[in-house]
Each structure stands twice: as C-alpha cells, then as structure tokens.
Amino acid sequence: MAEKQPGLTYAQAGVDIDAGNRMVDLIKPLVRATARPGADAEIGGFGGLFDLKRCGFSDPVLVAANDGVGTKVKIAIETGRHDTIGIDLVAMSVNDLVVQGAEPLFFLDYYACGKLEPEVGAAVVAGISLGCREAGCALIGGETAEMPGVYSGDDYDLAGFAVGAAERGALLPRQDIATGDAIIGLVSSGVHSNGFSLVRKVVEKSGLAWSAPAPFAPDQTLGDAILTPTRIYVKSCLAAIRGTDAVKGLAHITGGGFPDNIPRVLPKGLGARINLARVPVKPVFKWLASAGNIEQNEMLRTFNCGIGMIVITAAKDAEAVTDAFAKAGEKAIRIGDVITAPNEPRVVYDGVLDLSE
C-alpha cells in the first residue's frame, strides 16, 4: 500500500498566518499611540469602534474619503525605506476630509503583499500611526492580506479609509464664494503622492540610482528626497476655519493639479486666475521639468508645483486668513483671485512658473 503523502498547508501555499499574528503584535503599541476622544485605538476585534457622542458635535454630518499612494509605494520598496509611505497614505485621505470642513476622526488601512514580512509591515504602520497623530485621528483597525500570485517578490500596496465629521452648518465649500475672492496657496512639502509614474520615468531617463545624491538636494539621496511625505494640512486648516470664520473653500491639489482641482470647489460659472510668478516652485519640480523636458502645462496638471492646498476667502479677509495659517505653521501666499468663467478653461494663468534650476 502506497504511503500517504502529508497534506498541504496554508503556509506551503504561501500564506503565513503566524507572520500575520507577529505583525499584529508589533503594531499594537503604534495603534494605541493614536487614541483620541471617541476611540481607545485597540485592535484585534472584527471591527473598530468609535463613540461619536464623545467628540462634542451637536448635529454632525459624517464625511468619508479613501485613497492610496499610487506608484510612490514602488520607490519605498526599491529603496527599502518603508517608514514614511504610511504618512502619505493618511495624508491623502485626511486632506480630502478637511477641505469639506470635516475633522478627521478615525482611519483604517489595507496592506496587501505577496509575502508578509512583519518588520516591513510594522514600519509602514509606524508611518500610518505618525500620520494619524499629525491629523488628530485614531487608527481603529485595518486589514493585512498576504496574496501570493497576485503580488510578486517584495511588492506591496496600500489603501486608506478615513472618516470625519463636521457640524451640519459648517460644511465646505460655502455657497457665498464670489468673483473677487482671494485665492491663497499653502506651500507643499514636495511632490506629495501624485504623478509618481512620471517621476519614476524621469529618474529612469536620468540614469540616477535612488542611492545617488539628489541633484536638487545634494545632502539627501535621491530616494529619500523623493519620498518626502505628503504634508498634512488638517490642524492648520481647522485652526483657520474655526479661528477666522472666513474660509469659504479649500481645494486639495492632488492629481490634476490646479486646472482639475480648483474648479471642484467653485460654483458653476466661476473660475480662478492664478499668478504663476507667485507660486514657490520647489527645487524638485525644477529638476523634474528639466530632466524630463516637461512643459509648464504638463507640470501644472500632473504635480502640485509647490502648492499643496488652496484656500478661498473674501479679499477683505485675506490678510487675517493668511495670518491664521502662518500662526498654525503654514507658509501661506496669495496667488490669485476668483473670476467669472462661464466657459472652459476655468483656471487661467498670468505669468510663468519659475522652472529654472
């Protein structure tokens, strides 16, 4: 009689349940560090709990957003630096919440990979924890999926889900945005998390390794400089909204840049006139434009070019709003005005970007 072969196991199929449990143990203290009123930030159950009553809202409207980090994650994998990409993940969702006047309350993440390395996953969650603390929201749960055959080698991907709340009468954009309102830009930290397929193409064309000194920041490697995390604008925006009562609208400058994102918060028939000479173009964008031979309009529609958030306020309140953002730690610059725009394009430009290196 033939000897019976031992049965297959899940681990032999490429999924290590023990590795998943080790990762959970590694990230528990990182998750607890994000506790806030409404959530104790404990994980291990089937769902995360949040007590909205403890937040002090009287008539709240919930606002939800989700996003990923695009192909920026590929640079984290190729450089072996996993500690900042989680900040990007949080930023992309919570910045979308605050533009609607919402305070981020809680966040959940989804981490998918081909082979789970608990230390790599924990490094990613460390960034997520830091991003949540910067945004003032609790990390109340998430999912880790090990999927051999879907992801190869060291590849992984991320998605994030954020929920916030605003009082019913405080949602943005306001309905009183009008011609002549001031447009203020908040300076970005770098490329943020959009346009990285083009970034990677430029780096490939340049022939530079991620470990090489960055041409635009010689004190950093190219990989570290490009991985600079997306700025989280939540606390400064909420401070300005609540402190001035003069913020009419906010626009997060993500994929699509100025021309696609600013009109999203403007009433029909209105547009924006942007003075490009006042946009503080960061060195990374100058290098990308030069090394990739990228035209100005392509830069403006692909990257933030130095402005990560747009603020709209009445012209008479522009100075007070700018001061409020400055006190909250932002560099705020008036870069344009709201105009009548019955037809396309709804965003027009004066001057040119300073793309000279």
Side-chain angles (χ1 to χ4, degrees):
M1 184 176 180
E3 184 178 343
K4 186 177 180 181
Q5 296 295 315
L8 286 172
T9 66
Y10 207 9
Q12 289 172 323
V15 178
D16 187 344
I17 294 175
D18 291 334
N21 291 335
R22 286 200 304 275
M23 179 173 161
V24 171
D25 289 338
L26 288 171
I27 67 175
K28 279 183 177 179
L30 302 172
V31 174
R32 290 190 190 108
T34 71
R36 56 150 292 158
D40 58 12
E42 290 290 339
I43 57 172
F46 288 96
L49 302 178
F50 194 92
D51 183 354
L52 190 59
K53 188 175 181 179
R54 288 178 56 197
C55 296
F57 290 96
S58 58
D59 186 17
V61 175
L62 292 179
V63 183
N66 73 294
D67 209 338
V69 295
T71 57
K72 189 173 186 178
V73 73
K74 191 67 175 173
I75 302 172
I77 294 166
E78 291 173 354
T79 60
R81 182 175 180 184
H82 309 284
D83 59 334
T84 63
I85 201 74
I87 301 173
D88 291 292
L89 184 68
V90 175
M92 295 306 288
S93 286
V94 297
N95 284 343
D96 280 354
L97 291 185
V98 79
V99 300
Q100 295 174 89
E103 173 188 338
L105 301 177
F106 60 85
F107 188 85
L108 299 98
D109 69 279
Y110 176 76
Y111 177 92
C113 60
K115 177 176 174 54
L116 181 60
E117 298 290 348
E119 289 74 19
V120 171
V124 172
V125 175
I128 294 172
S129 172
L130 179 57
C132 285
R133 282 179 279 158
E134 286 186 21
C137 62
L139 178 58
I140 67 169
E143 174 68 11
T144 301
E146 192 172 17
M147 299 189 289
V150 176
Y151 297 92
S152 60
D154 296 328
D155 284 351
Y156 62 83
D157 199 9
L158 302 170
F161 309 84
V163 173
E167 295 291 359
R168 192 172 302 274
L171 290 167
L172 297 178
R174 285 174 17 185
Q175 300 303 305
D176 60 343
I177 295 175
T179 300
D181 282 348
I183 295 176
I184 297 166
L186 305 184
V187 171
S188 70
S189 56
V191 185
H192 286 185
S193 297
N194 298 102
F196 273 86
S197 293
L198 182 53
V199 170
R200 290 167 60 238
K201 197 73 175 175
V202 172
V203 172
E204 179 185 344
K205 179 182 176 183
S206 76
L208 291 171
W210 293 120
S211 58
F216 52 89
D219 58 332
Q220 292 181 284
T221 66
L222 179 58
D224 284 350
I226 290 291
L227 283 172
T228 298
T230 305
R231 187 162 182 80
I232 294 176
Y233 297 100
V234 169
K235 290 182 179 178
S236 60
C237 284
L238 290 176
I241 291 168
R242 295 165 178 172
T244 68
D245 196 30
V247 175
K248 293 186 177 186
L250 296 165
H252 185 199
I253 304 303
T254 57
F258 288 168
D260 286 3
N261 287 294
I262 298 175
R264 295 170 68 180
V265 298
L266 296 175
K268 187 177 180 180
L270 295 183
R273 180 176 293 280
I274 304 296
N275 182 349
L276 295 179
R278 293 192 58 77
V279 174
V281 181
K282 302 185 88 66
V284 61
F285 298 114
K286 297 182 180 186
W287 178 76
L288 287 168
S290 175
N293 193 28
I294 305 172
E295 296 182 354
Q296 175 177 280
N297 284 349
E298 186 69 15
M299 292 292 296
L300 286 165
R301 199 175 184 195
T302 306
F303 302 116
N304 66 65
C305 293
I307 295 294
M309 185 73 76
I310 290 291
V311 185
I312 301 172
T313 186
K316 66 179 179 61
D317 296 320
E319 184 176 351
V321 169
T322 300
D323 287 346
F325 276 105
K327 288 177 182 176
E330 302 292 353
K331 186 174 181 181
I333 304 165
R334 182 166 178 174
I335 61 170
D337 302 280
V338 176
I339 60 171
T340 301
N343 304 305
E344 296 293 338
R346 294 180 66 193
V347 178
V348 297
Y349 305 112
D350 291 330
V352 295
L353 287 175
D354 178 10
L355 295 173
S356 58
E357 290 189 271

